[in-house]
Every structure is written in structure tokens, then in C-alpha cells.
């Protein structure tokens, strides 16, 4: 609304000069640091075609083998991520419903399970499943253990997201549905849940980003997702710096794509949200208060 | 009893001249606020068009006009909460500072009351009122508290001093906000639709305080839709439309014989029931 | 139960080691997060872009990749160190982004009107920041900040899994893999160790939260 921001006034000429000066210094320092890093990399022989070739030079004999190997890893990563998020959604919705519909006498149990699963480091949860289940005779593939761990952990997070969405719905929604004679289960399933999902869609996609990152925990089970395959390739290519850099870039690109998607959905959701007033900057002129009126004769 | 002490602790040259009994302020006093050729754009939107405005010492100017006509922007420009693109704004003959300490001290002399109160949410009512005097005017805390209590009593919220703003009604919050501005012993008070966010039954408690202030000779610029207040308390009504000042006159003249068709049109809409 | 009692010393040492990792990581993450947040809300465009880019990159990169990059990439250019420090510093760098975003969301939660009112009574930049905006911003930051801290503690297990040695996670690995003890009691003990850190800290911080929450 104002030309200043929350933190500082609109810049005057002196402040403007200071800001430009700071900008120049920042730029110079950044360039300097980049230069030093580049030089260090060069003197340590880290910019050589030997190290980078397999990753960036299509003419390199190992290029296509390496990339089809890494692409397989990427595919494995995506398989885990998709399976995990789908299972997590199902489990999360179930837990959310269980929690909001639970009777007091067993609600504490549902809440404890959710709190417990939220408090355990996810890497430990995966490890726990992979070590303890075989001990009691339940054998699964590493993929299954990984998906189970991710789904359990992210499921309770999603359960809390959905519960938040349900609580944020206007009271009137529930009352309107019930006044139509819908049973409480139908009210939940037909009226409340769909709205909560729509409202929470950005948060749910945000959780997908978390899941994509957590697939890399597959390394403790030696599941061959992207990171693990990169590790394997390093053993023959001897280029850890370049390899991990490239893998980091791949993760960042995937997750930035998802972030952009979230932003777009958020904007869409805000536009369509029920009950939000049109973004008119100035409130309509209110009528003069009755007490003030009688004095004026026109 | 007066609501504010007229700059009792400041030097004579910044002392607001009290309005004498016989004279009217508009005729005699030099302009305390002076705007000349002020223009302001929001992107392609021309929100202030060549505004010239004088407000004399002790004068009460009410600004009215349709929504979106630039009233808030005008009000906020006098405090540099909005920058302007061209033109000059002077307070007591001194051009409005653009930044730093001098801008801060300019703002200390110009009180502002907002539509949404804007009381500091993490401070008690008393702390809200004493913050400025202690930090800006360097008044000793004990004295600042005593003065603040006096002001709060006078606007009728003395009982609320230890509470947090959120525990007060809208009308009470707005009266605290007025007390907070008065505590700075400002030379002029700006009001931007001070009653628009209030429930109808609370409007009058705020308007009463403002009317008292006006009668005691405080210089005021008031953006409002309260026509009763304008008629009763204003020395002059300024009518704005589409970013320009279309008409200005005494309240009696303006309400009884609006000259421009825009003003007639506006009044017929606002006063039609 | 016997497994835990028999190896209590090992568990205890592992727990202390985990606390060490978390402590040092927090010691790095909080000041760095504050600096990043300050840069992200500063009026200097290049600083904003730089800090924003840094935060985005570290938030979209798995902690594991950050850790591998540090522990196996950096020695290639002659930067040597122990896994403990690589892991802890990696965790600190990673968590700083979350601290930054928690602080920034707190700042964004303060209505602009609060700043305008502060300016209107003549407070200049530093006093309005220090007396009006930051006190409110910090209180609103507490919930996300709590989450960031708990996230850091849980992520310290990844630092352990990656081989810092002798922390709680390593205890789990040593006892089950190397000594072949039953996994269930060992892992239950290790999980209890983490919960003993996470739950009280969460409780404490949410207690403080309700104490300082701002009514609007
Ligand atoms: N920060 C802003 N950015 C863009 N347009 C604005 C901004 N503030 C106000 N406006 C526009 O400027 C015009 C004048 O606004 P304002 O001064 O608030 O009018 P009034 O107070 O008379 O209703 C309106 O059309 C409004 O939409
Ligand atoms: Mg307005």
C-alpha cells in the first residue's frame, strides 16, 4: 500500500546511494569469490576434461553409458518418490480422518502414533523397518522398505496438513451440509474433504519436494537411486566433486520445477478461494453513521 | 481542561498559535502546512494531480470525496508515508525532509491516526502511548507515564492502560491511537478515515474526542465520510475527485450550496437517506 | 531391555555425541540463518538475489547430497577434515536456509501498519526495527523456528548414518550389524534417544510460544 516497505522507508537520495554502493560491493565480492574458487579448482586439476568429460561431453566414450546408468537411477528415484507420496496420501488421509472422527477414549492413541512417527528421524524409521521386519520373518525388497518408511513418516505429516485444512474451513460449510440432511460421514467425504484437499494442494506438493529429497536416503539400504548410482560411478570415474555437483543440479532442477508448480497452484487457489473479496485496494465508502446524519440538511 | 498541552515544552517559534476568541484562524495565521503542485503516480494511475493546499495554524480541514479519489494518498504524503513525484510540501515553512533523522523529527511533529488503529500489538496501551515521548522526545519515563495516563483519562480509556490493544474494542483502540499521537505534542494531526473500521455504535465516542480537539484549536486534517462531523467541526471542507481538489469552502457553504456538479452528485449519493 | 542396559554406556555416549552434533550445527545455522534473512529483506537487490538463490539451492538439494559433496568433494581440492566436522558443517549450512525462511515468514507476518505507526511517531529506522517490528516478527517466527530446530535434530541422524561415528545412529548400526544383536530392542532404544531430544524441546518451545504469542 505504501511506497515504503515494512522494514524501511522509500529510499531517499542518500539511502539510495548507500544501497547502490552496497550492491556494487556485493557484486564485486561475489565475483572475487567465484574467481578464487575457479582458480582453486583449476590448480587442483578439477576442471580437466578427464573429470568432466563423462558428464558433459557427448563425444566422451563414457558419456552415454554413464548417463543411461544415471537415468536409471533417476527413474528409481522417481518410482520411490511417486509410490511414497501416493501411499503417504492414502495413509495420511486415513490418519487425519481417524483423528478427527475419533472418540475421546482412543483419540490419545491416534495422537500418540502421529506424534511418535513425527518425532522419529525418517532415516531411522527406514533403517528400523529394514532391520526389524526381517527379524520377525517379514522380508521385502529394499524398494518396499524405503517406500514404507517414507510413506509412514510423510503420511503423518500429510495427516496434520489435512487436519489443518479441515479446521480452516468455515464453520458454515459443515452446518450447511448437515442442514441439507447429509450424514456426518457424507458431510466429511462430499463437502469437507474435497475442499480441504483443494486448499492444501500447494502444501501437499511441497511435501512431494520433501519426499523427492528423502529418496536419497535409499543409500543406507544401498537402493540404487540417483545418488547411490552416482556413488557407484565415482568408483571408476574418480570425479566425486563433479559427480556430486551434477547430481545436486539434477535434484535442484526437479525441485525447482515442483516449487514453480506449487506457486502457480497457490496463485490459482487464491483466485478461486470462496469468500475472498475482489482485490480492491480501497474499501467502499461506508455510509455515514446515522448519528451524524440528522444535522445535515441538503 | 484541554486534551493537549500546546507544545508547552517546546520553543516559542514552533508554538502553535492558539486561536483567539474573535478572529478566525483561516484569515490570520500563516499556513502551517503548504502543498504546491503536488503530483503522484501509482504506475500509470495519476492519483494526485497538481494539488495546492494550505492549512493554517489551528485550522480543521476535512477532506471528503469518493473512494479512490486520492484522499488517503494526500494525507499520507504529508507524513511521507507516500513519496510524491513532483511539487513541494512544507511544514511551518520548512520543506518536508526526505530521509533520515530530519524526516523522523518531521514525523514526530505530525501525528497520524489510521483507519485500522495500528496500535503496537505487543505493547500495553500505556506503553503504546509512552513509546514516542520516551524514545523520541526523551521525556523521563516516569513523567511520560504520568502524562500518558492523563491523556488516556481524557479520551476515556484510563482504565485500559495495562491491557493489550487486542483486548480493547475498536472505539477504545482508536481513542488510544489518538492519545498516542497527542503524547508527541504534534503541531498537526492527520486522520485517515478514523471511524471507518468501527462498529456504528462506537463511531461517536471517537468523533466526540476529535470534536473536542478541534474546539481546542488543534490543527487537523481529517479524511472522513462523517458529514455530521464535517459540518460541526470543520473550518473548511476540501472536496477531492479523481486525484484533484475540485472544490473547497466552509462547511455551511459546501453542504448547502455545492458549486460543482461532482460535489452535488457526491453529496446526493452520500446524504440520500 | 537387557540389550539396552548391557550397552547403556554405548547408548549414553552416542546420545551425547548426537547432542554435540546438534549443538554445533545450531551454533552455525542460527547466525547464518539470521544473516541470510537480513540479506533477503534488505533494500539491496543484489544481496537479496544472492541470499535468495543460496536458500533456494540448499532447500531443494537433499542433505545427503550436501554431505557427500562436502565429505568426498572438498578433499579433492585439498580441504581436509574429519567426518564429524564435515557432517556438522554440512548440517549447519543446510539448516541455515530453514532458519532463514522461518525468520522471514515471521517478518512477513507483521502488518505494514505497525511500521507506519512507528514511523509516524518519529521513530527512525533502527528504533522502529528494534522496538516495534523485530519483537513482533520474532514471536511470529517461533513456531516455524521450532520446526526448523526439530528438523535439524532429526536430520542429525542422517549425519550419523553417513558415518560420523559414535553417535546414536552409529550405535544402532554397530549393535545390530557388527555385533548381531536383535534389532528391535536396540532400535527402540535409539528411537527413544531421539524422542528424548525432540519431544521435550518441542514442548518447551511451544510453551514459550503460547507465552509470547501476540493477540491481534
Ligand atoms: N500502493 C498502491 N499501489 C497502487 N495503487 C494504489 C496504491 N495505493 C492506492 N492506490 C490507488 O490510488 C488511488 C487513490 O487511492 P487512495 O488515496 O487510497 O484513495 P481514497 O483514500 O480517496 O479512497 C486508488 O485508485 C487506489 O487504488
Ligand atoms: Mg482511503
Amino acid at each position: 500500500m505504501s511506497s515504503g516497505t515494512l522494514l524501511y522507508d522509500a529510499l531517499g537520495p542518500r539511502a539510495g546511494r548507500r544501497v547502490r554502493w552496497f550492491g556494487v560491493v556485493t557484486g564485486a565480492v561475489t565475483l572475487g569469490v567465484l574467481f578464487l574458487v575457479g582458480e582453486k579448482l583449476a590448480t587442483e586439476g578439477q576442471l580437466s576434461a578427464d573429470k568432466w568429460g563423462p558428464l558433459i561431453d557427448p563425444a566422451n566414450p563414457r558419456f552415454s553409458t554413464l548417463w543411461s546408468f544415471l537415468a536409471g537411477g533417476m527413474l528409481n528415484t522417481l518410482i520411490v518418490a511417486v509410490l511414497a507420496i501416493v501411499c503417504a496420501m492414502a495413509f495420511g488421509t486415513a490418519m487425519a480422518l481417524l483423528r478427527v472422527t475419533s472418540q475421546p477414549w482412543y483419540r490419545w492413541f491416534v495422537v500418540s502414533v502421529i506424534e511418535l512417527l513425527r518425532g522419529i528421524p525418517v532415516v531411522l524409521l527406514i533403517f528400523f523397518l529394514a532391520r526389524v521386519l526381517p527379524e520377525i520373518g517379514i522380508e521385502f525388497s529394499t524398494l518396499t522398505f524405503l517406500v514404507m518408511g517414507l510413506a509412514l513418516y510423510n503420511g503423518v505429516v500429510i495427516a496434520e496438513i489435512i487436519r489443518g485444512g479441515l479446521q480452516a474451513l468455515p464453520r458454515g460449510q459443515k452446518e450447511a451440509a448437515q442442514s441439507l440432511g447429509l450424514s456426518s460421514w457424507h458431510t466429511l467425504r462430499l463437502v469437507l474433504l474435497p475442499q480441504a484437499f483443494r486448499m492444501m494442494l500447494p502444501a501437499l506438493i511441497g511435501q512431494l519436494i520433501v519426499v523427492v529429497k528423502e529418496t536419497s536416503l535409499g543409500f543406507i539400504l544401498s537402493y540404487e537411486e540417483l545418488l547411490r548410482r552416482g556413488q557407484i560411478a565415482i568408483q571408476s570415474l574418480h570425479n566425486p566433486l563433479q559427480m556430486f555437483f551434477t547430481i545436486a543440479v539434477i535434484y535442484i532442477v526437479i525441485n525447482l520445477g515442483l516449487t514453480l508448480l506449487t506457486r502457480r497452484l497457490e496463485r490459482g487457489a487464491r483466485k478461486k478461494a470462496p469468500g475472498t473479496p475482489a482485490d480492491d485496494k480501497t474499501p467502499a465508502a461506508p455510509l455515514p453513521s446515522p448519528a451524524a446524519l440528522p444535522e445535515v440538511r441538503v | 481542561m484541554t486534551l493537549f498541552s500546546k507544545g508547552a515544552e517546546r520553543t516559542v517559534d514552533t508554538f502553535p498559535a492558539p486561536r483567539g476568541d474573535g478572529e478566525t484562524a483561516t484569515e490570520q495565521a500563516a499556513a502551517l502546512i503548504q502543498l504546491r503542485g503536488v503530483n503522484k503516480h501509482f504506475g500509470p494511475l495519476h492519483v494526485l494531480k497538481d494539488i495546492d493546499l494550505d492549512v493554517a495554524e489551528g485550522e480543521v480541514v476535512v477532506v471528503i470525496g469518493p473512494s479512490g479519489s486520492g484522499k488517503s494518498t494526500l494525507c499520507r504524503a504529508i507524513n511521507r508515508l507516500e513519496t510524491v513525484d513532483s511539487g513541494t510540501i512544507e511544514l511551518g515553512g520548512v520543506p518536508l525532509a526526505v530521509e533520515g533523522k530530519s524526516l523522523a523529527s518531521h514525523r514526530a511533529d505530525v501525528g497520524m491516526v489510521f483507519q485500522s488503529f495500528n496500535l503496537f500489538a505487543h505493547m500495553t496501551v500505556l506503553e503504546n502511548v509512552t513509546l514516542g515521548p520516551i524514545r523520541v522526545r526523551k521525556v523521563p519515563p516516569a513523567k511520560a507515564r504520568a502524562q500518558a495516563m492523563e491523556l488516556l483519562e481524557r479520551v476515556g480509556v484510563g482504565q485500559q492502560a495495562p491491557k493489550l490493544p487486542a483486548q480493547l474494542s475498536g472505539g477504545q483502540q482508536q481513542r488510544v491511537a489518538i492519545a498516542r499521537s497527542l503524547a508527541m505534542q504534534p503541531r498537526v494531526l492527520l486522520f485517515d478515515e478514523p471511524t471507518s473500521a468501527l462498529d456504528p455504535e462506537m463511531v461517536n465516542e471517537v468523533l466526540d474526542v476529535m470534536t473536542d480537539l478541534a474546539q481546542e484549536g488543534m490543527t487537523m486534517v481529517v479524511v472522513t465520510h462523517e458529514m455530521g462531523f464535517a459540518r460541526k467541526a470543520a473550518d473548511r471542507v476540501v472536496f477531492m475527485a479523481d486525484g484533484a481538489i475540485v472544490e473547497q469552502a466552509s462547511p455551511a457553504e459546501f453542504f448547502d450550496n455545492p458549486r460543482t456538479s461532482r460535489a452535488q452528485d457526491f453529496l446526493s449519493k452520500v446524504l440520500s437517506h | 531391555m537387557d540389550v539396552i542396559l548391557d550397552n547403556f554406556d554405548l547408548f549414553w555416549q552416542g546420545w551425547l555425541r548426537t547432542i554435540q552434533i546438534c549443538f554445533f550445527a545450531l551454533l552455525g545455522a542460527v547466525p547464518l540463518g539470521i544473516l541470510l534473512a537480513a540479506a533477503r529483506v534488505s533494500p539491496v537487490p543484489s544481496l537479496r538475489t544472492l541470499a535468495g538463490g543460496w536458500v533456494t539451492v540448499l532447500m531443494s538439494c537433499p542433505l545427503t547430497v550436501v554431505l557427500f559433496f562436502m565429505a568426498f568433494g572438498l578433499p579433492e581440492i585439498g580441504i581436509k577434515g574429519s567426518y564429524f566436522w564435515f557432517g556438522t558443517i554440512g548440517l549447519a549450512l543446510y539448516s541455515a536456509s530453514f532458519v532463514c525462511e522461518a525468520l522471514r515468514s515471521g517478518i512477513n507476518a507483521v502488518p505494514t501498519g505497525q511500521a507506519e505507526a512507528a514511523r509516524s511517531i518519529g521513530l527512525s529506522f533502527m528504533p522502529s526495527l528494534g522496538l516495534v517490528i523485530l519483537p513482533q516478527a520474532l514471536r511470529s517466527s517461533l513456531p516455524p523456528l521450532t520446526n526448523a530446530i526439530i528438523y535439524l535434530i532429526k536430520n542429525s541422524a542422517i549425519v550419523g548414518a553417513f558415518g560420523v561415528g559414535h553417535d546414536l545412529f552409529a550405535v544402532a548400526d554397530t549393535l545390530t550389524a557388527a555385533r548381531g544383536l536383535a534389532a528391535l530392542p536396540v532400535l527402540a532404544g535409539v528411537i527413544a534417544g531421539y524422542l528424548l531430544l525432540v519431544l521435550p524441546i518441542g514442548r518447551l518451545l511451544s510453551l514459550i510460544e503460547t507465552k509470547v504469542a501476540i493477540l491481534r
Side-chain angles (χ1 to χ4, degrees):
Chain A
M1 275 277 189
S2 77
S3 42
T5 67
L6 172 69
L7 296 175
Y8 39 90
D9 255 306
L11 300 178
R14 192 154 41 93
R17 271 197 304 280
R18 212 175 292 162
V19 161
R20 276 192 298 279
W21 189 80
F22 257 107
V24 169
V25 170
T26 312
V29 169
T30 313
L31 286 181
V33 168
L34 284 180
F35 176 78
L36 286 179
V37 169
E39 204 185 49
K40 181 78 180 165
L41 286 174
T43 52
E44 297 284 343
Q46 295 297 322
L47 297 179
S48 67
D50 200 25
K51 303 255 186 200
W52 282 103
L55 282 163
I56 58 169
D57 179 12
N60 191 293
R62 295 161 123 173
F63 181 86
S64 58
T65 351
L66 173 63
W67 275 102
S68 66
F69 185 61
L70 289 183
M74 248 184 280
L75 186 66
N76 287 343
T77 291
L78 291 182
I79 289 173
V80 176
V82 169
L83 285 177
I85 196 75
V86 169
C87 296
M89 291 273 280
F91 176 61
T93 311
M95 287 306 278
L97 289 183
L98 204 57
R99 181 160 182 184
V100 296
T101 60
S102 60
Q103 303 296 316
W105 63 268
Y106 68 86
R107 181 172 303 140
W108 65 269
F109 181 74
V110 180
V111 173
S112 307
V113 169
I114 291 177
E115 290 295 313
L116 181 76
L117 283 174
R118 258 158 44 112
I120 303 177
V122 61
V123 65
L124 197 55
L125 190 57
I126 296 168
F127 194 72
F128 181 89
L129 293 172
R131 286 283 161 91
V132 172
L133 290 188
E135 224 168 53
I136 54 174
I138 306 174
E139 291 283 355
F140 286 127
S141 64
T142 50
L143 170 75
T144 313
F145 285 131
L146 189 55
V147 169
M148 277 172 74
L150 293 178
L152 281 178
Y153 177 77
N154 289 285
V156 290
V157 176
I158 287 173
E160 292 300 281
I161 294 177
I162 293 174
R163 192 172 66 97
L166 284 174
Q167 278 173 347
L169 286 179
R171 271 195 88 74
Q173 292 294 322
K174 184 175 173 188
E175 284 160 7
Q178 283 173 339
S179 72
L180 288 177
L182 291 181
S183 71
S184 55
W185 165 242
H186 276 124
T187 301
L188 199 55
R189 191 171 66 85
L190 299 174
V191 179
L192 303 181
L193 261 190
Q195 294 192 58
F197 267 125
R198 184 147 354 123
M199 218 159 65
M200 292 290 113
L201 197 56
L204 292 174
I205 298 209
Q207 205 54 39
L208 179 58
I209 296 179
V210 174
V211 172
V212 168
K213 292 202 289 182
E214 285 173 352
T215 56
S216 64
L217 294 176
F219 85 93
I220 58 161
L221 304 183
S222 298
Y223 176 74
E224 288 196 15
E225 41 66 64
L226 178 61
L227 179 61
R228 175 82 191 128
R229 286 224 162 163
Q231 247 182 319
I232 295 171
I234 288 169
Q235 287 164 10
S236 55
L237 295 175
H238 308 292
N239 61 349
L241 199 72
Q242 294 73 8
M243 181 65 73
F244 289 129
F245 179 83
T246 309
I247 287 174
V249 170
I250 294 173
Y251 275 110
I252 290 164
V253 167
I254 293 176
N255 285 330
L256 278 188
L258 289 172
T259 308
L260 289 182
L261 185 64
T262 323
R263 294 238 176 93
R264 182 164 300 174
L265 287 172
E266 249 165 12
R267 227 172 299 137
R270 215 174 307 136
K271 240 177 248 157
K272 269 180 279 163
T276 36
D279 50 351
D280 190 344
K281 284 244 151 95
T282 45
L287 292 172
S289 80
L293 262 179
E295 297 190 36
V296 185
R297 289 157 287 117
V298 179
Chain B
M1 264 243 262
T2 56
L3 268 173
F4 66 104
S5 52
K6 290 178 183 166
E9 291 170 26
R10 293 213 304 278
T11 50
V12 180
D13 56 352
T14 61
F15 200 92
R19 202 188 308 178
D21 276 339
E23 61 185 10
T24 57
T26 27
E27 280 162 14
Q28 300 257 317
L32 179 58
I33 300 174
Q34 192 185 67
L35 282 78
R36 285 291 174 273
V38 170
N39 279 286
K40 161 91 184 170
H41 294 80
F42 281 120
L45 195 64
H46 198 169
V47 276
L48 293 181
K49 296 175 184 160
D50 265 326
I51 301 285
D52 292 329
L53 182 70
D54 288 319
V55 180
E57 199 95 62
E59 195 182 11
V60 177
V61 172
V62 167
V63 181
I64 63 175
S67 172
S69 54
K71 306 179 300 290
S72 297
T73 312
L74 174 70
C75 202
R76 292 160 56 85
I78 297 171
N79 219 353
R80 210 178 182 266
L81 289 178
E82 299 287 355
T83 54
V84 296
D85 303 336
S86 64
T88 57
I89 301 173
E90 291 183 0
L91 177 76
V94 184
L96 173 48
V98 293
E99 60 189 331
K101 289 265 184 291
S102 39
L103 175 59
S105 77
H106 168 105
R107 283 169 170 166
D109 284 347
V110 180
M112 175 108 186
V113 176
F114 301 86
Q115 180 177 348
S116 49
F117 330 134
N118 293 346
L119 292 179
F120 304 130
H122 62 306
M123 294 180 174
T124 65
V125 163
L126 187 63
E127 287 165 344
N128 263 277
V129 180
T130 55
L131 182 69
I134 295 174
R135 295 290 172 156
V136 179
R137 298 276 189 233
K138 311 292 179 201
V139 177
K143 192 171 167 205
R145 274 193 292 274
Q147 286 172 343
M149 278 314 298
E150 208 170 315
L151 279 171
L152 289 171
E153 294 290 351
R154 285 178 188 173
V155 297
V157 286
Q159 297 288 310
Q160 321 294 336
K163 292 191 186 164
L164 287 170
Q167 298 169 294
L168 270 55
S169 75
Q172 290 173 325
Q173 290 194 50
Q174 194 60 299
R175 284 182 281 154
V176 173
I178 294 174
R180 177 175 69 179
S181 292
L182 287 174
M184 296 301 293
Q185 305 187 339
R187 303 173 69 182
V188 53
L189 271 184
L190 309 174
F191 294 81
D192 187 5
E193 301 199 20
T195 55
S196 294
L198 298 178
D199 290 338
E201 78 271 19
M202 295 174 184
V203 168
N204 277 337
E205 62 193 49
V206 172
L207 290 181
D208 287 346
V209 171
M210 290 168 61
T211 310
D212 287 348
L213 273 174
Q215 274 162 5
E216 286 159 21
M218 172 57 89
T219 313
M220 292 161 63
V221 175
V222 184
V223 176
T224 187
H225 292 283
E226 299 293 340
M227 299 303 152
F229 173 80
R231 183 173 272 263
K232 190 163 63 179
D235 294 314
R236 178 158 45 115
V237 174
V238 168
F239 176 70
M240 284 185 78
D242 289 334
I245 294 181
V246 176
E247 187 171 340
Q248 37 184 325
S250 73
E253 210 179 311
F254 178 79
F255 286 114
D256 297 337
N257 290 307
R259 274 173 286 124
T260 58
S261 60
R262 305 258 350 214
Q264 287 160 4
D265 191 40
F266 176 74
L267 285 178
S268 73
K269 277 182 191 144
V270 175
L271 302 173
S272 62
H273 43 147
Chain C
M1 211 54 211
D2 282 351
V3 179
I4 296 178
L5 289 180
D6 289 347
N7 297 287
F8 186 78
D9 208 38
L10 202 58
F11 275 100
W12 176 244
Q13 295 300 329
W15 201 61
L16 291 183
R17 187 74 163 170
T18 292
I19 291 177
Q20 256 179 22
I21 296 173
C22 295
F23 176 76
F24 286 117
L26 265 178
L27 212 59
V30 171
L32 186 58
I34 292 173
L35 282 181
L36 283 170
R40 284 206 79 173
V41 298
S42 77
V44 185
S46 55
L47 264 183
R48 278 204 304 264
T49 315
L50 210 64
W54 171 272
V55 167
T56 312
V57 161
L58 274 155
M59 285 182 102
S60 20
C61 198
L63 174 59
T64 31
V65 176
V66 176
L67 294 178
F68 276 99
F69 184 85
M70 293 198 57
F72 301 113
L74 293 187
E76 295 283 307
I77 54 170
I79 301 175
K80 301 245 156 55
S82 69
Y83 271 14
F84 177 81
W85 285 112
F86 275 137
T88 306
I89 293 171
L91 180 60
L93 290 178
Y94 181 78
S95 307
S97 300
F98 292 87
V99 171
C100 163
E101 289 307 273
L103 293 173
R104 209 165 62 97
S105 79
I107 290 172
N108 286 336
V110 181
T112 318
Q114 294 287 314
E116 292 183 344
R119 280 172 214 153
S120 291
I121 58 168
L123 293 176
S124 48
F125 176 69
M126 284 312 268
S128 41
L129 205 62
L131 297 169
V132 175
I133 300 168
L134 288 187
Q136 297 188 42
L138 281 180
R139 292 170 207 216
S140 314
S141 297
L142 261 183
L145 209 52
T146 305
N147 282 338
I149 291 172
I150 288 178
Y151 194 51
L152 180 145
I153 296 174
K154 291 195 289 186
N155 274 336
S156 75
I158 298 181
V159 176
F162 142 97
V164 161
H166 315 303
D167 82 319
L168 267 184
F169 192 92
V171 172
D173 207 26
T174 319
L175 290 185
T176 54
R179 299 211 201 145
L181 292 177
L184 184 61
V186 171
L187 285 171
V190 170
I191 285 173
Y194 280 103
L195 290 179
L196 233 54
L197 279 177
V198 171
L199 294 182
I201 289 180
R203 277 277 166 281
L204 182 70
L205 287 174
S206 68
L207 238 146
I208 299 174
E209 247 164 56
T210 48
K211 272 250 161 63
V212 303
I214 304 173
L215 290 165
R216 284 204 198 278

